Amino acid sequence: MYKNPKNREKKNIIRTIFGFFLLGNSLFLFLSFFSFLFHWKNDQSQLDKLFDKEIRAENLLGKIGAILSHCFIFCGIGISAFFFPLLLFLTGLIILFGVRILRNKYQSIIYHFLFFSIWLPITFYMIIPENGILSGVFGFEIGNFLISLFGKVGLGFLVITSIILYSIIIFRITTPKLKNGIKKKIQYHHEDIGWIIKLWESLKKKFFNDRKTDLSIDHPPFFDKKEIKSSIINTPNPILFSYKSKNEDVISSYMSKKDLENNKKKIIHILNYYKIGIEKIKATIGPTITLYEIFPQVGVRISKIKNLEKEIALNLSALSIRIIAPIPGKGSIGIEIPNNKRSTVYMKNILNSEESFKKSYKMELPISLGKTVFNEIFMIDLAKMPHLLIAGSTGQGKSVGLNTMIIFLLYKKKPEDIKFILIDPKKVELSIYNKISKSYFAFLPNSINPIITNIHEVRDILNSLCKEMDNRYSLLERAMVRNIQEYNGQYEKKYHLPYIILIIDEFADLSLSFKKKQIEIYITRLAQLARAVGIHLIIATQRPSVDVITGLIKSNFTARIAFRVSSKIDSITILDRTGAEQLIGKGDLLFSNKNELIRLQCPFIDLSDIQKIVDFYGKNTFQKNGYFFLPEPDDR
């Protein structure tokens, strides 16, 4: 229907005038009310002489201001009268400028105004009955009436109950929210007084010289009493790390609620800009990254969100983001954003945790790869993998990851249950384990070095390991069992077969040797057949190219770990998909196994702690039969 432009313009003029009228009145009332608080005693006695020119009111807005203030405050609702100018001001803003936020909340503002206009006068009368300007006549009359009904104590309960019920309705407080809020408050105060606890601990240690801190080697802090009974080794575990009451890998870098909400708003804003509707979004904070789960509306194409990766990264000012579209097993799309301040996952806390003990209890060769974005300890059983391929650029956490695997196996298995073969072409990465070679290593006959550093010796050790595999298969055949677990179950006392873990720190160096083809044949043969007889391979390389990780090797290593790599091609080579190039380094990794991809933060263990562990096991462990020798390699 056609509307006359003149009529529309006339309405707009009237609307503008009315809006400014309300703003002006709100300012007038506020100044008069504010002035009344200071001059009401002098002005009140002169209100009956309104038209006397010789009488001047002390109120900033003169006699009119004094009269209005007296009516609204003293004879009205007391201090709650200040809500009137506020309400007029907001109404004027809505009429003039159509402020959407105010317009949407205008109805709730009215409800707040009505509630507090009644609640405040009654409360002030109950607390300060002699001050009339706070409660007004309304508060005085209603307060007196309620006190006559309930008494002063009863009125107090009524006032407190009303504000509690009001808060529950307005802020939608539920029992779970209340519990979480109390927990956060307790945690905040606990952290706030943390320095007092630390000071007390240091003073106690200094002046009392608590001898119990030695804990004698019989009660190590790593495992609970149940695990100590099963005794990982014949001698007790060492006290390698100083005990701390506060778990160090608890996320100390939790993003503030404000930052989380801001990021959510930015994600929603950029998606709305490209007309992508979402139902809800929730965030989970991990040690390294924060996962934002987006639940798109029905009909939204996943590819549209996936293609906005760079735009979302720009809008969030993030170094890099990774989009999981969709998250397996969930009806959502994940956006992984690096935390501003990452939290270190310490190996000692994983070893100490009850969660780690429960998850590894029934595993043959348990290894912890770190923590997930949900702060859960992630465990794998190497016996079921059955081999592991690791790749990553220099300095991204590959060597630390290998060390944590070795340490975890040392803690969980006895010397007679596990033997290592370490191949270290770089000669320095794994040399720290020399001291435990007698108890935990498998040797070539007449060999000098426990750790293989000479490329020319690699062929011999692999050849010897293949012969050991063939010998073990002969044993299984004669015993009519299918695998090492069944064999050890039947012939534990007669002849015990230990697991053998072959670890190669830099496989690329071996692939450059003149015996490359021979080495690849041995590795492939072991990867295909060695699982059943308890021989497992962990191979690491910093150059995941197709000439190093060939198709034949990849096909036999279904379990793979990728630390940060330099390009998408490297990521595809190791994982058969992109994503590793978007990691942020320092132990940030992707674990792939049978089409399952999980992002983890690798645990950190300091070199000094590794040295303590190795020193302990070097001094306190032994094997009844001495060295464990592999068969003599072929001369060819």
Side-chain angles (χ1 to χ4, degrees):
M1 186 177 178
Y2 176 75
K3 291 185 179 180
N4 193 338
K6 290 185 178 179
N7 291 337
R8 188 186 303 167
E9 186 179 0
K10 185 177 179 182
K11 285 182 179 179
N12 287 338
I13 292 171
I14 294 171
R15 184 175 180 176
T16 304
I17 292 171
F18 186 60
F20 277 110
F21 174 77
L22 292 178
L23 290 179
N25 273 281
S26 68
L27 186 61
F28 183 92
L29 286 175
F30 179 79
L31 290 174
S32 63
F33 291 173
F34 185 76
S35 182
F36 179 79
L37 298 177
F38 301 97
H39 305 295
W40 69 276
K41 289 183 179 178
N42 294 330
D43 289 346
Q44 192 175 14
S45 60
Q46 302 177 11
L47 291 177
D48 57 336
K49 303 174 182 177
L50 178 64
F51 298 104
D52 192 340
K53 294 181 181 180
E54 295 181 1
I55 302 299
R56 290 187 177 275
E58 292 185 19
N59 194 292
L60 287 174
L61 279 305
K63 294 176 182 178
I64 297 296
I67 292 171
L68 287 173
S69 302
H70 181 76
C71 294
F72 275 96
I73 297 177
F74 194 83
C75 296
I77 56 177
I79 201 73
S80 296
F82 276 92
F83 288 126
F84 277 108
L86 178 62
L87 190 63
L88 292 177
F89 183 78
L90 294 176
T91 308
L93 285 179
I94 292 170
I95 291 172
L96 282 175
F97 306 109
V99 183
R100 185 178 295 177
I101 297 173
L102 295 177
R103 194 169 60 218
N104 294 339
K105 295 186 177 181
Y106 189 71
Q107 190 174 1
S108 66
I109 292 171
I110 297 291
Y111 292 149
H112 296 337
F113 168 75
L114 290 174
F115 176 79
F116 284 105
S117 294
I118 298 169
W119 188 83
L120 280 176
I122 296 171
T123 304
F124 277 120
Y125 175 74
M126 184 184 68
I127 299 170
I128 316 172
E130 65 275 3
N131 195 324
I133 63 169
L134 292 177
S135 58
V137 172
F138 175 83
F140 176 80
E141 295 293 342
I142 300 296
N144 263 333
F145 175 71
L146 292 175
I147 287 173
S148 67
L149 289 176
F150 302 103
K152 201 163 186 178
V153 176
L155 179 58
F157 277 115
L158 187 66
V159 166
I160 293 169
T161 304
S162 64
I163 196 66
I164 290 172
L165 292 175
Y166 174 80
S167 302
I168 290 171
I169 294 168
I170 295 300
F171 299 109
R172 301 179 183 274
I173 298 172
T174 59
T175 306
K177 284 184 180 179
L178 197 62
K179 287 181 179 178
N180 291 335
I182 292 170
K183 284 181 181 177
K184 287 179 181 177
K185 202 71 177 174
I186 292 170
Q187 185 179 3
Y188 172 79
H189 285 297
H190 183 269
E191 291 174 359
D192 197 38
I193 63 170
W195 66 273
I196 300 174
I197 297 168
K198 288 179 181 178
L199 179 62
W200 166 248
E201 290 294 333
S202 62
L203 289 172
K204 188 170 72 171
K205 195 171 182 180
K206 184 176 180 181
F207 293 107
F208 296 100
N209 191 20
D210 192 4
R211 294 177 183 176
K212 290 183 181 179
T213 54
D214 182 33
L215 293 177
S216 82
I217 262 176
D218 295 326
H219 300 285
F222 304 113
F223 309 98
D224 62 16
K225 294 177 182 178
K226 292 180 183 177
E227 191 170 8
I228 292 170
K229 286 180 182 178
S230 62
S231 183
I232 291 178
I233 53 174
N234 291 333
T235 53
N237 291 306
I239 299 186
L240 304 171
F241 309 119
S242 57
Y243 177 76
K244 293 190 178 181
S245 60
K246 189 176 179 181
N247 194 350
E248 287 191 30
D249 70 346
V250 172
I251 307 300
S252 58
S253 61
Y254 273 123
M255 296 175 68
S256 66
K257 190 175 181 181
K258 185 179 179 182
D259 290 337
L260 283 177
E261 292 302 320
N262 284 340
N263 283 346
K264 285 181 182 178
K265 288 176 183 177
K266 288 177 181 178
I267 292 171
I268 293 170
H269 175 76
I270 193 71
L271 294 178
N272 286 341
Y273 182 80
Y274 288 97
K275 298 180 180 178
I276 298 172
I278 62 172
E279 292 182 353
K280 63 176 180 177
I281 180 171
K282 67 176 185 177
T284 305
I285 307 170
T288 307
I289 59 167
T290 299
L291 174 66
Y292 293 86
E293 283 187 73
I294 296 171
F295 296 83
Q297 292 178 352
V298 178
V300 173
R301 293 177 66 88
I302 293 176
S303 58
K304 287 182 70 177
I305 299 176
K306 183 72 175 174
N307 294 335
L308 293 175
E309 189 172 297
K310 292 182 180 178
E311 285 79 3
I312 294 172
L314 177 66
N315 206 36
L316 293 171
S317 303
L319 293 173
S320 66
I321 68 167
R322 179 171 167 264
I323 295 180
I324 312 167
I327 297 176
K330 294 187 177 183
S332 60
I333 294 168
I335 301 177
E336 294 177 341
I337 301 170
N339 293 339
N340 294 329
K341 185 181 177 184
R342 63 196 299 166
S343 180
T344 304
V345 177
Y346 288 98
M347 181 68 177
K348 55 184 171 183
N349 291 330
I350 290 180
L351 287 170
N352 276 331
S353 69
E354 186 180 350
E355 182 185 356
S356 167
F357 173 71
K358 287 180 179 178
K359 288 184 176 181
S360 65
Y361 184 70
K362 293 183 179 180
M363 293 183 180
E364 287 293 321
L365 296 173
I367 295 174
S368 174
L369 297 183
K371 284 196 172 184
T372 66
V373 68
F374 302 104
N375 294 303
E376 296 173 347
I377 294 173
F378 185 81
M379 304 285 297
I380 62 168
D381 188 354
L382 185 60
K384 293 181 179 179
M385 292 293 102
H387 312 293
L388 198 56
L389 185 61
I390 304 171
S393 302
T394 305
Q396 303 305 318
K398 191 170 70 282
S399 295
V400 175
L402 280 177
N403 283 323
T404 58
M405 293 176 194
I406 295 171
I407 295 301
F408 212 90
L409 290 170
L410 285 176
Y411 264 86
K412 297 296 181 180
K413 306 302 289 184
K414 300 176 184 179
E416 56 266 30
D417 290 333
I418 189 169
K419 301 296 173 187
F420 291 100
I421 298 174
L422 303 183
I423 299 176
D424 182 15
K426 290 189 282 188
K427 303 181 181 181
V428 292
E429 291 293 342
L430 302 176
S431 59
I432 195 170
Y433 298 104
N434 272 320
K435 289 184 180 180
I436 60 169
S437 58
K438 182 177 179 180
S439 303
Y440 281 98
F441 281 28
F443 288 87
L444 280 172
N446 303 317
S447 64
I448 300 173
N449 297 320
I451 297 174
I452 310 299
T453 57
N454 190 339
I455 293 177
H456 298 282
E457 295 178 9
V458 174
R459 189 208 72 90
D460 291 337
I461 194 77
L462 294 178
N463 177 274
S464 184
L465 193 56
C466 286
K467 291 184 72 175
E468 173 71 15
M469 177 183 71
D470 293 336
N471 293 341
R472 289 188 173 199
Y473 267 112
S474 298
L475 286 173
L476 296 187
E477 185 182 6
R478 288 196 295 270
M480 292 186 292
V481 293
R482 294 173 299 173
N483 53 51
I484 187 175
Q485 291 93 350
E486 292 180 10
Y487 181 86
N488 284 337
Q490 291 186 22
Y491 299 93
E492 180 72 34
K493 295 181 180 179
K494 185 178 178 182
Y495 184 70
H496 180 79
L497 292 177
Y499 286 96
I500 299 176
I501 313 296
L502 171 65
I503 298 176
I504 303 176
D505 185 38
E506 187 44 73
F507 186 66
D509 289 352
L510 303 184
S511 67
L512 296 174
S513 70
F514 64 95
K515 296 181 180 179
K516 173 186 175 182
K517 191 65 180 175
Q518 226 173 6
I519 289 171
E520 187 178 334
I521 290 171
Y522 287 134
I523 293 291
T524 305
R525 188 162 184 264
L526 288 168
Q528 288 174 339
L529 300 172
R531 172 184 182 174
V533 293
I535 299 173
H536 302 278
L537 283 63
I538 299 175
I539 295 177
T541 180
Q542 65 181 14
R543 191 161 61 86
S545 55
V546 290
D547 59 327
V548 176
I549 304 175
T550 62
L552 196 58
I553 290 177
K554 279 180 64 177
S555 63
N556 292 289
F557 285 80
T558 56
R560 304 168 197 165
I561 292 174
F563 290 89
R564 187 181 182 183
V565 294
S566 56
S567 66
K568 289 184 179 180
I569 296 172
D570 289 345
S571 179
I572 293 169
T573 302
I574 181 67
L575 296 175
D576 294 328
R577 66 185 84 184
T578 59
E581 78 283 354
Q582 295 174 313
L583 299 175
I584 57 176
K586 294 184 179 179
D588 190 20
L589 65 88
L590 289 172
F591 173 69
S592 172
N593 186 35
K594 298 174 183 176
N595 295 322
E596 181 185 19
L597 192 69
I598 301 171
R599 189 169 185 175
L600 304 165
Q601 176 59 43
C602 180
F604 175 76
I605 183 167
D606 193 75
L607 189 63
S608 62
D609 289 332
I610 297 175
Q611 189 66 59
K612 290 176 184 177
I613 295 170
V614 172
D615 288 344
F616 175 83
Y617 283 119
K619 293 174 183 177
N620 295 283
T621 59
F622 60 92
Q623 188 181 15
K624 295 176 183 177
N625 300 324
Y627 291 98
F628 180 86
F629 289 105
L630 296 171
E632 191 78 39
D634 295 334
D635 294 332
R636 55 184 173 83

